[in-house]
Amino acid sequence: MATENESPISFNSRFLIVSPENGGIFDLLKFWAFNNQESGAKFLESSHDGVIQDQLLSDDTPDHRWVIIVSIIVRKILAFFGKLMEWIGYIVEFMLNLFSLNGNFLGLLYNFFHGNVVIPQRDSETFISAIGHLDGRIDLFKSEMMLNKTIEPEFWKKILQFGAGSRVLMDLCIIASKLAYENANVVRNVVNLHWKMHFIDFYNCWNDYQKEMSTQVFILCNKPKDADLILISFRGTEPFDADDWSTDFDYSWYEIPKLGKVHMGFLEALGLGNRMNTSAFSEQLQGENISSNNSNARHALDKSSNSEQSRGADDNLVPAMGERTAYYAVRSKLKSLLEEHKNARFVVTGHSLGGALAILFPTVLVLHEELEVMGRLFGVYTYGQPRIGNEQIGRFMEAHLEHPVPKYFRVVYCNDMVPRLPYDNKTFLYKHFGICLYYNSLYIEQKVDEEPNKNYFAWRYLIPDYLNAIWELFRSFIIGYLYGPEYKESWESILLRIIGLAIPGLSAHSPVDYVNSVRLGRTRSVESGMYSAEQY
């Protein structure tokens, strides 16, 4: 381990920043139609060697130019409608909760005329997110073990013995990934009352680029004392958050020697840098670079990290902003939990953007040489996760995630567009790694290296994508009859399926299909920790 004054890695900054805000519509048109390099350069900023930018602006790379243009257009649209999306989301969630708390439309009318209307209170234990209304399931999967026996104190210890392929554990992870979209009070109630586990904390963390508390994560243990399992769940892309969607469509990267090229937006979401000052990435990624002067700030964060309180955090913590970010907050709490629970293993999970943060978190732990912590990692489970960097990251993490047994499982449902982002080509070099468990629209599982149509925009998949969207809409009306009432889709989910007719792959990103994939999936193919699908 390097000393405080030494860096374990020598950083020679190489990066690419795609900035939609730096050019106008006419610049974009000239870049698109005529490959005007002066116009294109307004959208791109690269490291001092200039090679990256020149390559992207070259006449020999029209496909690269097209990818950049699509990214810029999408992000410009998201920026333009960002505030409107936020207000629409606020109104939609308020109305959804107004109806649900009052017994839907007829109940609301009855309560209105009797003066008993229940008004939703945001951040209360009864206020459910839009994701929660898409899929209201909060109970965990009922395996044969659960049905035949009461939950024994050693239940999760036995589940961990089956290996990282346990369906019960995969189900806990997808439900926890979905639960991360809720506020801290809802999460606490579900963990403590429904799951009979032990809620640790909910963190609302600082993103220095967005200048707001925009990264959320919660931690639980399977029991208060002598825990066997610690679970960390990152919140994913929120439906009405333009910044989250813009991050998914961002092609900016920062190259870390030894590790490789990493998605810049995901590093920022974890609190590991800021593209406005690219040197911040090297400062945050040099390992043990946090000075002892900030230890008190870290301790203060651990004691008051609940998101409902951290919004009003003491201004004295602002100079130590790194201590209020997701990576350092979670790392600090994880270390203390592993010290407290000597036999516990930890699992990291997330859906969408949360999946990207879930795999990036242990990656940075390895970079920071936190090998003792990594020795307690049991698995990483991501659902609908976008790519986080280039192929070098996979090679870097291979020894820690694939040996002696696989620990990283990336679940992809059918035509979900987000796992196909950012683009994977010779210039951007974004690559997935780990075991991919791919489920088609019949919930049949395949173990593959890469999901079909890896970049989503291939023309030969266009008609099949639309046909599949039609089938998914039809299936939403009958799935409850096929598999039981717990699989009946909400009207909100059906509405999203209708929208998916216009944008195939959008509705496939919903947690609904990921929960169904884990619970209904057939032909289990994980080679390590094999189990009977019907039993566990």
Side-chain angles (χ1 to χ4, degrees):
M1 180 68 69
T3 65
E4 184 176 299
N5 296 322
E6 295 175 337
S7 169
I9 301 171
S10 175
F11 280 80
N12 295 311
S13 299
R14 296 185 72 245
F15 60 85
L16 171 69
I17 301 176
V18 183
S19 303
E21 66 276 8
N22 289 346
I25 297 298
F26 288 110
D27 292 310
L28 189 61
L29 289 174
K30 288 190 288 185
F31 180 43
W32 186 354
F34 307 109
N35 192 25
N36 185 289
Q37 296 198 14
E38 182 178 352
S39 296
K42 293 181 179 180
F43 298 106
L44 302 175
E45 178 185 352
S46 62
S47 44
H48 61 277
D49 56 23
V51 174
I52 303 164
Q53 186 167 311
D54 291 343
Q55 182 182 11
L56 292 172
L57 297 176
S58 170
D59 286 317
D60 299 328
T61 56
D63 57 328
H64 303 161
R65 187 166 72 251
W66 167 252
V67 173
I68 295 172
I69 289 167
V70 170
S71 172
I72 292 171
I73 291 174
V74 171
R75 293 174 66 198
K76 275 185 172 293
I77 292 173
L78 288 168
F80 183 81
F81 289 105
K83 204 65 182 177
L84 178 61
M85 288 175 63
E86 181 182 344
W87 279 104
I88 289 175
Y90 188 92
I91 294 170
V92 167
E93 289 193 336
F94 179 86
M95 294 304 297
L96 288 174
N97 281 277
L98 182 66
F99 285 127
S100 64
L101 290 174
N102 289 279
N104 294 321
F105 182 72
L106 293 179
L108 179 61
L109 285 179
Y110 179 86
N111 287 348
F112 176 79
F113 287 114
H114 288 80
N116 295 321
V117 174
V118 181
I119 303 299
Q121 300 296 319
R122 191 170 291 272
D123 294 329
S124 71
E125 61 189 30
T126 59
F127 193 95
I128 306 302
S129 70
I131 294 292
H133 281 91
L134 280 176
D135 187 342
R137 291 172 288 189
I138 58 174
D139 292 326
L140 300 179
F141 176 73
K142 298 298 189 294
S143 71
E144 185 176 308
M145 178 186 289
M146 290 179 168
L147 293 174
N148 293 340
K149 303 177 182 179
T150 58
I151 301 299
E152 302 175 359
E154 301 295 314
F155 175 79
W156 284 103
K157 183 176 182 179
K158 292 179 180 178
I159 288 297
L160 295 179
Q161 290 174 354
F162 284 108
S166 165
R167 181 187 291 206
V168 173
L169 185 56
M170 289 179 67
D171 183 74
L172 170 64
C173 287
I174 180 55
I175 297 296
S177 297
K178 187 167 70 74
L179 184 62
Y181 289 98
E182 308 301 335
N183 67 65
N185 290 313
V186 173
V187 174
R188 180 186 296 106
N189 275 4
V190 170
V191 171
N192 290 340
L193 302 180
H194 287 269
W195 297 355
K196 307 300 181 184
M197 294 186 183
H198 180 57
F199 174 77
I200 298 297
D201 219 334
F202 189 105
Y203 298 87
N204 207 33
C205 297
W206 182 257
N207 183 321
D208 199 34
Y209 175 65
Q210 296 180 3
K211 302 299 181 185
E212 60 182 359
M213 300 290 194
S214 58
T215 302
Q216 289 75 28
V217 54
F218 76 87
I219 306 176
L220 64 83
C221 292
N222 68 306
K223 51 187 177 181
K225 295 182 179 180
D226 299 321
D228 307 297
L229 174 67
I230 299 167
L231 184 140
I232 302 165
S233 180
F234 287 91
R235 180 181 292 182
T237 306
E238 298 186 69
F240 299 99
D241 191 321
D243 287 334
D244 280 357
W245 285 104
S246 183
T247 298
D248 288 335
F249 280 91
D250 189 4
Y251 289 87
S252 306
W253 51 258
Y254 188 90
E255 186 170 21
I256 304 168
K258 189 170 76 169
L259 179 59
K261 296 176 181 176
V262 185
H263 190 289
M264 192 174 285
F266 300 152
L267 287 172
E268 290 166 329
L270 273 184
L272 294 168
N274 182 344
R275 71 184 67 193
M276 304 302 293
N277 175 21
T278 54
S279 64
F281 291 107
S282 62
E283 293 168 3
Q284 294 293 333
L285 293 166
Q286 291 183 57
E288 292 297 333
N289 62 321
I290 303 300
S291 69
S292 58
N293 293 333
N294 285 336
S295 61
N296 291 333
R298 179 190 297 125
H299 182 64
L301 175 67
D302 286 340
K303 295 185 67 175
S304 60
S305 57
N306 185 285
S307 66
E308 313 312 313
Q309 300 172 357
S310 62
R311 293 180 187 274
D314 194 325
D315 289 340
N316 292 332
L317 288 180
V318 173
M321 193 62 72
E323 300 297 335
R324 299 173 59 195
T325 57
Y327 173 75
Y328 292 108
V330 174
R331 187 182 73 169
S332 177
K333 176 57 70 174
L334 176 61
K335 283 184 171 183
S336 66
L337 288 171
L338 292 174
E339 179 66 26
E340 179 183 354
H341 304 282
K342 300 295 186 181
N343 298 315
R345 307 284 296 279
F346 75 96
V347 170
V348 194
T349 191
H351 167 261
S352 190
L353 169 63
L357 303 184
I359 184 57
L360 188 56
F361 175 71
T363 300
V364 179
L365 285 178
V366 173
L367 186 68
H368 285 180
E369 299 183 7
E370 296 283 358
L371 300 184
E372 185 176 348
V373 175
M374 283 297 295
R376 306 276 292 276
L377 174 68
F378 185 77
V380 180
Y381 300 81
T382 69
Y383 303 86
Q385 171 215 315
R387 300 178 177 102
I388 68 164
N390 67 355
E391 192 173 13
Q392 186 178 346
I393 296 178
R395 294 195 299 267
F396 177 80
M397 291 298 293
E398 182 178 1
H400 302 277
L401 296 177
E402 296 185 15
H403 302 291
V405 295
K407 296 179 181 178
Y408 172 34
F409 299 90
R410 185 174 59 85
V411 180
V412 176
Y413 169 73
C414 202
N415 294 329
D416 185 352
M417 64 191 302
V418 174
R420 277 89 174 174
L421 299 173
Y423 213 72
D424 173 7
N425 67 7
K426 293 180 180 179
T427 297
F428 293 103
L429 300 174
Y430 281 98
K431 299 285 185 182
H432 277 305
F433 61 99
I435 293 177
C436 177
L437 301 179
Y438 173 77
Y439 293 86
N440 65 19
S441 59
L442 297 176
Y443 301 124
I444 296 175
E445 178 196 275
Q446 294 175 279
K447 178 183 171 184
V448 296
D449 294 329
E450 186 76 65
E451 56 272 8
N453 187 17
K454 68 176 184 177
N455 283 322
Y456 182 71
F457 297 106
W459 289 105
R460 67 189 182 95
Y461 286 97
L462 187 62
I463 294 177
D465 285 352
Y466 277 100
L467 291 176
N468 194 74
I470 295 171
W471 152 245
E472 288 175 336
L473 176 60
F474 173 73
R475 186 191 61 195
S476 68
F477 291 104
I478 64 172
I479 191 168
Y481 299 102
L482 294 176
Y483 299 109
E486 69 172 292
Y487 294 97
K488 182 180 179 181
E489 293 198 19
S490 64
W491 68 264
E492 295 94 337
S493 180
I494 293 174
L495 179 60
L496 182 60
R497 301 282 190 195
I498 294 172
I499 297 174
L501 296 177
I503 312 175
L506 180 62
S507 61
H509 190 56
S510 167
V512 172
D513 284 314
Y514 282 96
V515 176
N516 290 348
S517 294
V518 170
R519 296 184 175 184
L520 300 175
R522 293 170 285 165
T523 315
R524 314 300 297 182
S525 58
V526 182
E527 292 181 352
S528 174
M530 286 296 293
Y531 59 93
S532 164
E534 286 71 32
Q535 186 175 7
Y536 302 118

